[in-house]
Amino acid sequence: MDKTWIDEYCMKKKGVEKDFKVEWQWDRYMINGKLFAAICHDKQGRPIVTVKCEPMFGQMMRTEYEEITAGYYMNKEHWNSILLDQGVPQAVIKEMIDMSYSLIVKSLPKKQQAELI
């Protein structure tokens, strides 16, 4: 799976900033400095995208797709890593990115939320 579409999808969201964390080799997507998605590689060097989800939804996705696991180097309850180039449909990945973005926006102060909504 080409990761370019994920980069484009994340960057179209309002207020998104992107950087590259050299030490981790992560492309990070943030809102006001708060991470909502990261494209990186797992221990085997396979490309993954890591996103934040509601815990019950994340657990359901992990049950449904073996390519979705607890967040790589992240809080295992709230973060999920999706193995790319495998069987997770693009629509599911987009849904998970959207949820992550929404959760981070909701965690911002009300004034910052209003600017993004």
Side-chain angles (χ1 to χ4, degrees), residues 3 13 20 37-38 41 58 63 65 77 79-81 89-91 95-96 105 114:
K3 297 179 288 185
K13 296 188 173 299
F20 182 73
H41 293 87
T63 301
Y65 298 97
E77 182 180 358
W79 291 86
N80 298 273
S81 292
Q90 190 176 44
E95 179 181 11
M96 293 177 78
V105 168

Side-chain angles (χ1 to χ4, degrees), residues 6-16 101:
I6 295 173
D7 178 76
E8 291 170 356
Y9 190 74
C10 289
M11 292 304 297
K12 285 181 182 175
K13 296 188 173 299
K14 192 169 182 180
V16 172
Y101 178 84

